[in-house]
Amino acid sequence: MTQFDPSTRILERFLALHPRKIDLSLGRIEALLKKLGSPHLRLPPVIHVAGTNGKGSTIAFMRSILEAAGKGVHVYTSPHLVRFHERIRLAHADGGQLVREEILSEAFAACEQANAGAPITVFEITTAAAIKLFSDHPADYLLLEVGLGGRYDATNVIASPKASVITPISFDHPEFLGTTIEKIAGEKAGIIKARCPVIIGYQTEQALHVLEAEAASLAAPMRIAGQDYSVHEEHGRYVYQDEDGLMDLPLPHLAGRHQLQNAAAAIATLRWIAPELPQTAYEKGLVRVQWPARLQQINHGELFNLIPKGAELWLDGGHNEAGGQVLAQAMNEFQQRQKRPLALICGTLATKDTIGILRHFKGLADLVLAVPIQGEHQARSAADVVDAARKVGLEAQACDDVTSALKYIKAKDWSLPPRILIGGSLYLAGEVLKANGTQPE
């Protein structure tokens, strides 16, 4: 999307419609959908996914498996990394494709006309546009990711999903969702619907208690990670087991131990609601899966050309403490396989727990290079990120941007070619992919 695209100009007009006060509500989008002819009542079977971390990865696994089985899959995710079009993927004979500009701008224009200037958030009106597109184009499934929370999220207009999936819950967006795990879990549990299957990923005891109680009150049948299904790695293979039996599969293509759990939630969901899928679809799906900026290794491009010879460059959009923890665990696993100095390039939003993210890298990262996130008014300054790093005992240095940070790393004398990790924000990840010339297709 460029500043000259019609959809970009319409998005800018959407900003002016934003309510003066943000209140999580379904009233505005429900009113707009009614004016559009209620497209949310004519959708393909919906798999609705909420959670704090792992939503997008779980959806990526489900999409890959379903497409390997020849199914047509619509996908809605957020936020985007570089272009808004990444949020909407429409089913196609050759696999899902990002929405084309002319189709997106037409949907935006229809929503703008139907809304007629009424107050509405950008996420609500663009979600309505996505729902209209998903209704207008045939598919076998719609994979629908919650934007924020669950109960009052704009995606929660689906009365009877084929399944609801809740990935691991941790602290994020306390200003909207609450300051305890129980309150946050209560908001996520809002996507559970009466008598509709719910798959619950690996959770803390506090979160699981809330989710189980909500499901029980709605007579929603449950399958719970660690109880009804489990996974483990064995001899370089991925072993999944549930009440229907054991599956011996290749390891997921996405890096990091946390992806074993995300893949498990995806498999548990599809084994339950689509038992006809052959094992070959799971095998191909795990190998073919792609999900940018989730522990993604970058091995070519403009920024890659700036790193020291023999160095590794990794990118991740994790932006809360739980995300920092799984990322540090992944880096530690990499270190155990092949020891290298670790340089962390970090930028975060001011609304995020920067100390919580960085504290997991104490004793692991040799150096933190703090950068601002370009063009984000809510970005934390590089100096503030440096302060956060030093408070947890990390050596830190401020840089003007990612390019200067990479040049700093290249000029430094390392004992071995370093492992470089860029993380702290999906906005930073999008900036990196754009600068590297490797934005999602």
Side-chain angles (χ1 to χ4, degrees):
M1 182 182 294
T2 72
Q3 60 180 327
F4 305 110
D5 288 336
S7 60
T8 303
R9 293 195 291 269
I10 301 174
L11 269 174
E12 290 171 351
R13 296 200 293 270
F14 287 168
L15 288 170
L17 303 174
H18 204 285
R20 292 183 179 180
K21 179 183 177 183
I22 297 179
D23 60 318
L24 295 180
S25 167
L26 294 178
R28 291 181 293 268
I29 189 171
E30 287 176 338
L32 176 55
L33 289 170
K34 186 175 181 180
K35 293 175 183 176
L36 290 168
S38 300
H40 61 300
L41 302 181
R42 300 186 303 276
L43 293 171
V46 175
I47 302 176
H48 201 188
V49 184
T52 305
N53 292 304
K55 299 188 298 293
S57 296
T58 300
I59 285 176
F61 281 117
M62 286 193 286
R63 175 197 153 211
S64 187
I65 293 166
L66 286 168
E67 289 185 346
K71 303 295 185 181
V73 187
H74 292 330
V75 182
Y76 186 59
T77 56
S78 62
H80 59 276
L81 294 170
V82 180
R83 304 170 70 238
F84 183 92
H85 304 63
E86 299 165 31
R87 297 182 180 219
I88 301 172
R89 186 177 290 273
L90 297 177
H92 190 271
D94 299 324
Q97 295 182 350
L98 300 187
V99 63
R100 297 197 309 272
E101 167 59 27
E102 63 272 21
I103 294 175
L104 180 64
S105 57
E106 285 176 6
F108 277 0
C111 288
E112 184 178 36
Q113 183 178 6
N115 189 64
I120 193 166
T121 70
V122 171
F123 185 72
E124 288 164 351
I125 195 168
T126 54
T127 297
I131 288 173
K132 182 181 186 306
L133 289 172
F134 296 142
S135 174
D136 291 344
H137 293 79
D140 297 304
Y141 289 94
L142 165 57
L143 307 180
L144 189 64
E145 180 186 357
V146 166
L148 176 66
R151 190 173 304 278
Y152 298 109
D153 184 76
T155 63
N156 201 28
V157 292
I158 311 302
S160 297
K162 188 74 172 177
S164 299
V165 183
I166 303 181
T167 65
I169 294 170
S170 58
F171 289 102
D172 206 2
H173 303 291
E175 68 275 23
F176 295 112
L177 305 181
T179 56
T180 68
I181 288 294
E182 289 84 356
K183 288 182 179 179
I184 295 170
E187 292 302 312
K188 309 288 186 185
I191 72 163
I192 300 173
K193 302 294 165 50
R195 293 173 294 282
C196 295
V198 56
I199 294 83
I200 300 176
Y202 290 88
Q203 305 289 347
T204 63
E205 185 177 341
Q206 301 98 310
L208 181 58
H209 177 75
V210 172
L211 299 176
E212 285 183 303
E214 182 77 2
S217 72
L218 293 169
M222 291 175 279
R223 289 195 179 175
I224 301 170
Q227 298 180 26
D228 301 302
Y229 68 91
S230 62
V231 291
H232 66 274
E233 184 179 348
E234 185 175 323
H235 304 304
R237 298 284 291 176
Y238 180 71
V239 182
Y240 171 92
Q241 188 167 11
D242 61 18
E243 62 183 28
D244 296 319
L246 182 146
M247 298 178 76
D248 180 12
L249 300 165
L251 286 172
H253 178 66
L254 299 184
R257 188 161 296 278
H258 58 292
Q259 295 294 5
L260 302 183
Q261 297 183 0
N262 294 330
I267 295 171
T269 303
L270 297 180
R271 289 257 281 184
W272 192 358
I273 68 169
E276 76 281 4
L277 298 183
Q279 176 153 333
T280 54
Y282 294 93
E283 294 169 350
K284 293 176 182 177
L286 292 182
V287 172
R288 295 175 181 175
V289 65
Q290 293 183 348
W291 190 226
R294 278 69 175 186
L295 207 52
Q296 175 185 357
Q297 185 168 15
I298 296 176
N299 49 28
H300 68 278
E302 297 296 321
L303 296 181
F304 177 80
N305 292 336
L306 298 177
I307 69 174
K309 185 177 181 180
E312 294 178 4
L313 182 60
W314 295 84
L315 176 67
D316 192 87
H319 51 269
N320 52 40
E321 181 173 1
Q325 183 178 18
V326 298
L327 192 53
Q329 289 172 346
M331 290 296 108
N332 189 51
E333 289 175 17
F334 290 178
Q335 288 291 81
Q336 291 175 14
R337 291 187 213 140
Q338 184 182 31
K339 190 168 180 60
R340 292 173 178 260
L342 176 62
L344 172 61
I345 300 174
C346 181
T348 71
L349 295 184
T351 55
K352 301 302 179 180
D353 182 6
T354 308
I355 288 178
I357 295 170
L358 290 173
R359 71 182 183 87
H360 297 287
F361 288 88
K362 183 179 180 181
L364 184 62
D366 297 270
L367 174 65
V368 174
L369 295 175
V371 296
I373 302 172
Q374 307 297 325
E376 286 298 324
H377 69 280
Q378 288 188 314
R380 197 177 294 280
S381 71
D384 285 348
V385 176
V386 167
D387 288 343
R390 289 174 178 168
K391 283 179 181 177
V392 297
L394 289 164
E395 180 184 341
Q397 165 90 27
C399 293
D400 292 336
D401 51 34
V402 172
T403 297
S404 60
L406 291 172
K407 289 179 178 178
Y408 182 93
I409 291 171
K410 189 168 186 177
K412 189 175 173 62
D413 185 22
W414 300 95
S415 58
L416 291 168
R419 180 172 288 120
I420 305 164
L421 171 64
I422 305 174
S425 169
L426 280 169
Y427 295 99
L428 178 63
E431 178 186 317
V432 167
L433 291 174
K434 185 177 182 180
N436 193 55
T438 51
Q439 65 189 49
E441 297 179 356

